[in-house]
Amino acid sequence: MKIVILERNSVGEDVSVECLNDFGQVIIYGNTVTEEEVRERVRDADIVIANKSPMCEKTLKDAPKVRLICEFATGYDNCDLSYCDSRGIKVVNVRDYCTAMVAQHTFTMALALSQKLFHYDTYVKSGAYGAQDRFSNFDIPFYELEGKTWGIVGMGTIGKRVAQIAAAFGCKVIFHSITGKSTCMEYPQVDKGTLLSECDFLSLHCPLSELSRNFIDASGLKKMKKTAILINVARGAVVNQMDLYLALEEGEIAAAGLDVLEKEPLDQANPLNRIKDSNRLLITPHLAWASVEARTRCVQEAYKNIEAFLQGKDRNVVGQTKAVHP
């Protein structure tokens, strides 16, 4: 059994992958980007572990032994599921391993922006606080979460965790289902217009699809309160980048916190690059999922997926593949 890990670095060098040696020979590459690299590296593989590397006919056609593609991630948009189905290749992903961290990061950004922490930290470190003659300074107003409305797009596992935390802070929670198929009954489900107009905080936790692409655009941003804070820890393309830039510049919303962007890493041509004020815009490098604990769980879950596959069991299979178990 030959297992090829194409993107070892995607789970971090500080997290061990040695457990995968239990299943056979493991070939490790730190990162694999191009189709040519993928094609050469998976040629003799039985199992491929990937994250963003393209898994498609171009990269897999010369790899006749591949029976399983195991994602080091929840997302699997790097996989051509139709082609994998036609080849009898199973595709499995890792689920619910980073819920706690994504929810935590959502509030880390929301609190930092709403409480103007960057402004006040700079105020102290600049010497301005030490030079004043009073014990306190609150020259830029900030507000409590209690009593505010927290809107959520995507009431899945992460969305529900965020809702629970927001409620614990004393927020009123409302949500919108892009597909209209949510069965969540714990919180009021509202239409898009109501969500945008009523929320003080709006956090995005939905997958990327044609329904969610550009879900937050110029028209939507204009409906939001000028005091509203937007948090995107879903997928970058759920928010139109240029429209968000203009909304922040024109004061249509108060601030935004982004952990995801339409093109990653951050493209220098992205208009959001022009905003250097961290009190209005906070961008982190797609790390909301990446606590040590979450990355460790990611490897452990991948291990369990491979173990199940080798035992002839389905675990976290995506798509409709008719693959034959070993």
Side-chain angles (χ1 to χ4, degrees), residues 47 80 142 158 168 176-177 212 226 240 242 271 292 306:
I47 295 174
D80 182 340
F142 53 93
I158 294 173
H176 174 73
S177 170
S212 64
K226 292 186 180 298
N240 184 291
M242 176 59 79
V292 172
I306 295 172

Side-chain angles (χ1 to χ4, degrees), residues 20 22 32 37 94 134 151 164 192 264 269 305 321:
L20 298 171
D22 290 353
T32 303
E37 287 176 328
V94 177
R134 62 192 186 281
Q164 291 167 357
K192 182 178 180 180
E264 297 171 346
N305 285 342
T321 184

Side-chain angles (χ1 to χ4, degrees), residues 5 7-21 26 28-30 49 72 94 97 289-303:
I5 303 177
E7 296 160 276
R8 167 69 177 85
N9 295 346
S10 68
V11 292
E13 292 291 339
D14 56 331
V15 171
S16 175
V17 296
E18 290 186 6
C19 61
L20 298 171
N21 291 323
V26 180
I28 297 176
Y29 297 98
I49 299 177
F72 262 166
V94 177
Y97 69 100
W289 64 278
S291 65
V292 172
E293 296 90 343
R295 288 183 285 115
T296 299
R297 285 192 292 269
C298 182
V299 174
Q300 292 170 344
E301 287 296 302
Y303 179 99

Side-chain angles (χ1 to χ4, degrees), residues 186-201:
E186 293 93 334
Y187 308 98
Q189 184 174 173
V190 299
D191 60 58
K192 182 178 180 180
T194 300
L195 178 88
L196 295 175
S197 64
E198 291 190 2
C199 65
D200 299 292
F201 296 85

Side-chain angles (χ1 to χ4, degrees), residues 59-92:
T59 59
L60 297 171
K61 65 180 181 180
D62 297 323
K65 296 194 296 181
V66 173
R67 291 178 289 165
L68 178 70
I69 294 171
C70 185
E71 295 280 5
F72 262 166
T74 300
Y76 48 88
D77 50 329
N78 62 314
C79 288
D80 182 340
L81 293 181
S82 295
Y83 176 74
C84 291
D85 285 348
S86 72
R87 279 277 307 275
I89 299 172
K90 279 191 180 290
V91 179
V92 294

Side-chain angles (χ1 to χ4, degrees), residues 3 41 54 68-69 80 91 103 147 179 199 216 221 244 247 273 315:
I3 300 171
R41 293 175 179 182
L68 178 70
I69 294 171
D80 182 340
V91 179
T179 63
C199 65
I216 301 297
L221 288 160
L244 177 59
N273 256 322
R315 186 177 193 272

